[in-house]
Amino acid sequence: MPSLTAAQASALEIYDTTLRDGAQAEDVSFSVEDKLRVAQRLDELGVHFIEGGWPGANPKDIEFFRTVKTIPFKNATIVAFGSTRKASNSVRKDKNLQELLASGTPTITLFGKSWSFQVTDALGIALAKNLELIEDSIHYLRSKDRRVFYDAEHFFDGYKANPDYALQTIRRAIAGGAERVILCDTNGGTMPWEIREICRIVKQECPVPLGIHAHNDSEMAVANSLVAVESGILQVQGTINGIGERCGNANLCSIIPNLQLKMQRPALGNKLTHLKDVSGFVTEIANLMPNKRQPYVGDAAFAHKGGVHIHAVLKNAATYEHIDPAAVGNRRRILVSDYAGRSGLLEKVEAYGISLNKNHAKLQELVETLKERESQGYQFEGAEGSFELLMRKAMGSHRPSFQLLGFRVIVEKKQEHGLLLSEATVMVKVGEVVEHTAAVGAGPVNALDHALRKALEKFYPQLREVKLLDYKVRVLSADKGTESKVRVLIESGDHKDKWGTVGVSENIMEASWQALADSIEYKLLLADR
């Protein structure tokens, strides 16, 4: 097998383990199709290695490696992951090693124990035997014309407990033919200054390029990865959005822009602008709630709410933004709140195509309306659909698509263990036509939603595209008990857009109606554009 060129050996490598280590996160379960789609997006992003899974662990990963062979990748190499052989097996009879070879990947990442405590207490074998397992497992895979990366599991804990033995495990991996040695902070408890010092020592000892694989149990995974690069590490391993077992892995969505924009270490070339899209894609495929406060790629990463901040950012973004959001595919957001003032609101109004002077009476009227609504408990930061409707009403440019004449919701339970029945009746007026409909649903809000759609879809068939994506209720003044006001936030969407709407009332159904009605009105507003 040809050795790496000097240029290849010095280039920084991004190794993504979202599909293997990330899939071990609580609440995450990827199907084979999910994994294939994520792998393609990671390849488009420009990562160098994609760890597809452990082919000996489950049928799903076996199927992934079988299918992924048929997909052409432009940038990434697909990697299979597994462990050194069992102490009771020879390399030729070890099921794990044979599954790794059967996966067909040109590169295999093999992990072994570097912490003497793990060897004696977890594996229950002699320290010398573990060294034998490492070397002959790697040598066997190399003899089958595979590149091998060695994950030195628990390396930093192992080095702190028994540095001589931890270094022996690395020497034996290299003797077996490992082309990379990855130093793993498996328990995620090592501090950056420890990472720096240990990496410095190991780099002097190790003749092959090193990598870093950090977990986030002490909130240090990103910092530890960057310090390792600063210390001469070549390969950085992590996951998109930092998903992974326990507290997660090193977050590539923070590491990559930090490398490129802060440390001037190119990692993805010109693909950095795709980072937010890939982050959102993985969140969606993993069926997780987005972390809006995630650095760089979160929706709130470049969001401004305070009036002083907004005023300054509109003059010069560098006053409160450490990078241009577009560099990572994100965007600046001016949040709508009673902190914003006229400058922030003017920015929002102009974003909707309405040209106003800063001293226009309508703008001041909107400021006052907004402050009054927020004093009542409305919140428009997550409900920009409702805000746009409020703004257009204040400007006199909105024409309602329908008029509510009344609604009624009935929740009935006939026996102690009987099913709940929720039924809603809605009467609306569209033009001169009055429509009176009823519908049932899984709950009172669902029934009301069904009844409203049923009444309006014959007039506006495009409403069939709308789906309710999220529904949240927050009690605003708990001191009043069941008489407290509640705020309902609804997220809706169609095949193209997503939008949020809000309602506030002491009655949860009234608040839900406000948010539902705004959701329908906003969809029809989008259709008219």
Side-chain angles (χ1 to χ4, degrees):
M1 180 178 297
S3 60
L4 298 177
T5 66
Q8 288 173 321
S10 62
L12 202 60
E13 297 172 350
I14 301 299
Y15 182 111
D16 182 279
T17 180
T18 302
L19 301 180
R20 201 275 304 173
D21 225 350
Q24 296 180 180
E26 185 175 5
D27 301 325
V28 172
S29 179
F30 293 122
S31 68
V32 174
E33 180 60 30
D34 291 338
K35 295 182 71 165
L36 293 170
R37 292 174 67 193
V38 170
Q40 288 173 287
R41 292 298 294 269
L42 291 172
D43 178 58
E44 292 168 6
L45 182 63
V47 303
H48 305 100
F49 299 98
I50 300 172
E51 191 172 80
W54 188 334
N58 58 72
K60 186 163 56 177
D61 281 357
I62 293 173
E63 176 63 17
F64 168 82
F65 285 108
R66 185 190 69 80
T67 307
V68 79
K69 296 174 187 176
T70 66
I71 299 174
F73 287 87
K74 295 180 180 180
N75 302 295
T77 296
I78 302 296
V79 181
F81 174 90
S83 68
T84 55
R85 69 172 174 87
K86 290 185 177 180
S88 58
N89 295 340
S90 68
V91 288
R92 290 174 178 80
K93 293 183 178 180
D94 188 80
K95 185 175 183 295
N96 173 67
L97 294 182
Q98 297 308 316
E99 293 279 11
L100 287 169
L101 291 172
S103 72
T105 63
T107 302
I108 292 171
T109 294
L110 205 67
F111 80 90
K113 302 294 186 183
S114 296
W115 190 0
S116 55
F117 160 72
Q118 287 279 337
V119 176
T120 56
D121 287 45
L123 292 183
I125 61 174
L127 297 182
K129 184 66 174 178
N130 181 56
L131 297 176
E132 177 187 321
L133 302 184
I134 294 170
E135 182 172 352
D136 65 3
S137 295
I138 295 174
H139 183 268
Y140 176 67
L141 295 177
R142 289 285 288 158
S143 73
K144 300 298 182 180
D145 203 30
R146 300 296 200 273
R147 292 180 66 189
V148 179
F149 297 166
Y150 177 64
D151 267 11
E153 190 183 40
H154 294 288
F155 181 80
F156 293 98
D157 289 319
Y159 185 90
K160 287 185 282 186
N162 188 339
D164 290 340
Y165 185 75
L167 290 172
Q168 283 185 58
T169 64
I170 286 180
R171 294 188 191 107
R172 296 296 286 269
I174 295 169
E179 292 190 25
R180 301 281 187 275
V181 171
I182 318 303
L183 309 181
C184 301
D185 186 26
T186 309
N187 287 359
T190 309
M191 295 291 105
W193 51 90
E194 296 174 305
I195 296 283
R196 176 181 287 111
E197 179 62 17
I198 294 172
C199 284
R200 184 187 62 80
I201 294 170
V202 176
K203 191 170 186 300
Q204 293 175 349
E205 167 91 17
C206 191
V208 303
L210 297 174
I212 181 72
H213 179 108
H215 283 255
N216 203 37
D217 298 73
S218 53
E219 196 67 49
M220 291 292 166
V222 170
N224 285 344
S225 299
L226 298 177
V227 165
V229 170
E230 189 182 45
S231 303
I233 294 291
L234 175 79
Q235 185 181 104
V236 183
Q237 298 193 356
T239 63
I240 297 297
N241 300 324
I243 62 173
E245 198 166 24
R246 304 186 310 274
C247 301
N249 286 51
N251 186 354
L252 290 178
C253 292
S254 294
I255 290 172
I256 293 170
N258 279 330
L259 288 173
Q260 292 202 183
L261 303 176
K262 307 295 185 178
M263 298 173 67
Q264 286 72 54
R265 292 294 304 271
L268 296 182
N270 61 356
K271 302 293 183 66
L272 190 60
T273 55
H274 300 292
L275 191 62
K276 179 172 172 55
D277 282 346
V278 172
S279 168
F281 181 80
V282 172
T283 297
E284 186 72 20
I285 291 295
N287 197 28
L288 298 172
M289 288 296 294
N291 176 9
K292 67 164 56 180
R293 294 173 180 82
Q294 188 174 177
Y296 288 106
V297 295
D299 284 347
F302 302 96
H304 306 280
K305 179 176 178 179
V308 172
H309 289 216
I310 292 171
H311 186 70
V313 163
L314 293 178
K315 287 184 175 181
N316 187 328
T319 53
Y320 287 99
E321 290 177 355
H322 66 112
I323 66 161
D324 178 358
V328 291
N330 210 334
R331 65 184 180 90
R332 180 177 306 114
R333 294 172 60 229
I334 304 299
L335 300 181
V336 181
S337 79
D338 59 3
Y339 293 102
R342 284 188 295 176
S343 295
L345 283 177
L346 184 62
E347 168 94 351
K348 297 293 291 186
V349 169
E350 290 178 344
Y352 294 116
I354 298 175
S355 180
L356 284 180
N357 183 280
K358 186 176 182 180
N359 297 316
H360 197 287
K362 287 289 186 182
L363 187 63
Q364 185 58 39
E365 181 181 327
L366 180 58
V367 170
E368 297 304 321
T369 301
L370 182 62
K371 290 184 177 182
E372 173 62 24
R373 289 293 184 95
E374 290 208 346
S375 71
Q376 296 170 11
Y378 286 84
Q379 183 185 67
F380 294 98
E381 292 165 32
E384 294 194 353
S386 287
F387 169 73
E388 183 173 352
L389 291 171
L390 178 69
M391 178 209 51
R392 292 189 179 278
K393 289 173 185 176
M395 300 298 163
S397 62
H398 177 66
R399 297 292 178 266
S401 303
F402 64 93
Q403 178 185 353
L404 172 68
L405 299 180
F407 71 80
R408 179 175 59 201
V409 179
I410 300 172
V411 179
E412 184 178 13
K413 186 178 177 73
K414 291 186 176 180
Q415 298 178 10
E416 182 178 353
H417 300 292
L419 295 175
L420 277 171
L421 174 66
S422 298
E423 179 181 338
T425 303
V426 171
M427 185 181 293
V428 295
K429 187 176 181 180
V430 180
E432 297 302 319
V433 180
V434 174
E435 192 68 26
H436 188 188
T437 60
V440 296
V445 176
N446 185 237
L448 186 60
D449 183 31
H450 286 175
L452 179 58
R453 292 167 184 266
K454 187 176 178 181
L456 294 176
E457 281 177 359
K458 63 178 63 178
F459 303 99
Y460 307 109
Q462 62 266 41
L463 294 179
R464 295 189 182 98
E465 303 172 351
V466 180
K467 293 183 179 180
L468 194 153
L469 304 176
D470 198 9
Y471 174 87
K472 295 184 177 71
V473 180
R474 174 162 296 184
V475 177
L476 300 179
S477 49
D479 58 310
K480 294 184 179 179
T482 53
E483 294 183 3
S484 299
K485 277 187 176 182
V486 296
R487 179 170 61 232
V488 170
L489 284 170
I490 287 178
E491 184 180 36
S492 305
D494 55 22
H495 64 284
K496 181 181 178 183
D497 299 297
K498 291 181 183 180
W499 58 92
T501 51
V502 63
V504 174
S505 175
E506 290 84 358
N507 186 302
I508 191 171
M509 293 311 303
E510 168 65 15
S512 299
W513 167 264
Q514 292 172 17
L516 284 171
D518 272 8
S519 174
I520 298 296
E521 285 280 13
Y522 190 73
K523 165 61 179 177
L524 297 175
L525 180 66
L526 289 175
D528 288 339
R529 287 180 178 169

